[in-house]
């Protein structure tokens, strides 16, 4: 399987072990900074972006989507503060300085994550950088409106990326196929594999 997976904030490989073994598994602010992501992409069959990864792909790499047979963006957004006020993210940043494991555990719980994931202490600076980015980053335009290979996915129980924020992405990408799943923010690995395999 020729696959590139771009994770979200606080993603770890243990969340998606099969995907991590199946291709390139990239974690924002740990493996790359957003402006560098186009340099990592060489084309192929499928690229999947989840949450912050979907946002970065849309912002920095939509001009490269035609290099892939299929582009799947799960829980994309134009601006994260459309879903969560800046004050909440600032509180998370403060919490990361004091007790990062608690902040990350709470976030994963809100994602619907069932695994008890450990936090690598060396990733705290990356997590803070990610939240600072999410406070400021905004997409006004995406060069992908005519691509037939684009799929936008949203879970109807998503507590992280609100429905209105997802709908804003769908509005600027009218040619994309929209899939709404019975899911929280974290779409299960089996569900993603089914999306990759297609009908």
């Amino acid at each position: 399987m020729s696959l590139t997976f771009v994770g979200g904030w606080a993603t770890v490989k243990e969340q998606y072990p099969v995907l991590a073994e199946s291709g390139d598994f990239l974690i924002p602010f740990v493996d790359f900074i957003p402006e560098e992501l186009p340099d990592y992409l060489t084309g192929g069959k499928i690229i999947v972006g989840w949450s912050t990864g979907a946002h970065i792909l849309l912002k920095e790499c939509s001009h490269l989507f035609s290099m892939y047979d299929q582009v799947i963006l799960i829980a994309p957004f134009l601006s994260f503060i459309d879903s969560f006020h800046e004050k909440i993210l600032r509180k998370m940043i403060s919490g990361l300085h004091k007790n990062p494991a608690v902040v990350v555990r709470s976030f994963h719980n809100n994602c619907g994550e069932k695994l008890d994931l450990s936090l690598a202490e060396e990733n705290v600076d990356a997590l803070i950088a990610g939240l600072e980015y999410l406070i400021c980053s905004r997409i006004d335009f995406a060069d992908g409106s005519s691509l037939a290979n684009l799929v936008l996915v949203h879970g109807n129980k998503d507590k992280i990326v609100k429905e209105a924020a997802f709908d804003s992405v769908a509005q600027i990408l009218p040619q994309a196929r929209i899939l709404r799943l019975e899911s929280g923010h974290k779409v299960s690995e089996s569900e993603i594999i089914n999306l990759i395999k297609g009908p």
Side-chain angles (χ1 to χ4, degrees):
M1 181 191 307
S2 174
L3 170 70
T4 299
F5 182 89
V6 185
W9 186 81
T11 294
V12 293
K13 290 184 177 181
E14 289 85 351
Q15 291 180 282
Y16 293 115
V18 175
L19 296 178
E21 291 292 323
S22 299
D24 295 324
F25 193 99
L26 303 174
I27 301 172
F29 303 96
V30 174
D31 297 320
F32 67 92
I33 60 172
E35 298 78 16
E36 294 174 339
L37 185 55
D39 297 334
Y40 284 79
L41 304 185
T42 58
K45 287 188 69 64
I46 298 161
I47 187 164
V48 178
W50 174 35
S51 193
T52 296
H55 174 82
I56 296 171
L57 280 171
L58 201 53
K59 184 175 184 179
E60 303 290 348
C61 308
S62 60
H63 62 291
L64 302 176
F65 286 176
S66 60
M67 296 166 50
Y68 291 86
D69 292 348
Q70 188 175 27
V71 178
I72 301 172
L73 302 182
I74 301 168
F77 50 86
L78 302 182
S79 171
F80 193 69
I81 57 174
D82 289 342
S83 293
F84 280 90
H85 194 278
E86 178 180 341
K87 287 181 181 178
I88 297 174
L89 299 186
R90 293 287 178 202
K91 188 175 180 181
M92 289 175 70
I93 290 170
S94 177
L96 285 169
H97 286 292
K98 297 170 186 173
N99 196 334
V102 170
V103 174
V104 172
R105 189 179 304 116
S106 175
F107 174 76
H108 281 309
N109 286 341
N110 284 328
C111 289
E113 177 59 73
K114 294 178 174 59
L115 298 175
D116 185 15
L117 300 167
S118 61
L119 170 68
E121 292 297 327
E122 64 269 20
N123 287 349
V124 173
D125 287 344
L127 294 173
I128 292 171
L131 291 178
E132 294 283 4
Y133 173 84
L134 289 173
I135 288 169
C136 301
S137 184
R138 182 174 299 276
I139 296 171
D140 296 312
F141 171 77
D143 180 21
S145 59
S146 63
L147 294 178
N149 65 342
L150 183 59
V151 182
L152 305 178
V153 181
H154 191 240
N156 60 7
K157 300 173 186 172
D158 193 334
K159 296 180 181 178
I160 304 297
V161 174
K162 304 296 170 60
E163 185 175 9
F166 175 80
D167 289 344
S168 294
V169 176
Q171 287 171 12
I172 70 165
L173 297 167
Q175 302 304 315
R177 185 160 64 100
I178 308 297
L179 287 178
R180 300 186 188 270
L181 303 177
E182 286 285 329
S183 170
H185 186 64
K186 185 198 176 188
V187 174
S188 71
E189 184 167 64
S190 61
E191 195 85 63
I192 295 175
I193 290 169
N194 286 339
L195 290 174
I196 290 168
K197 290 179 178 178

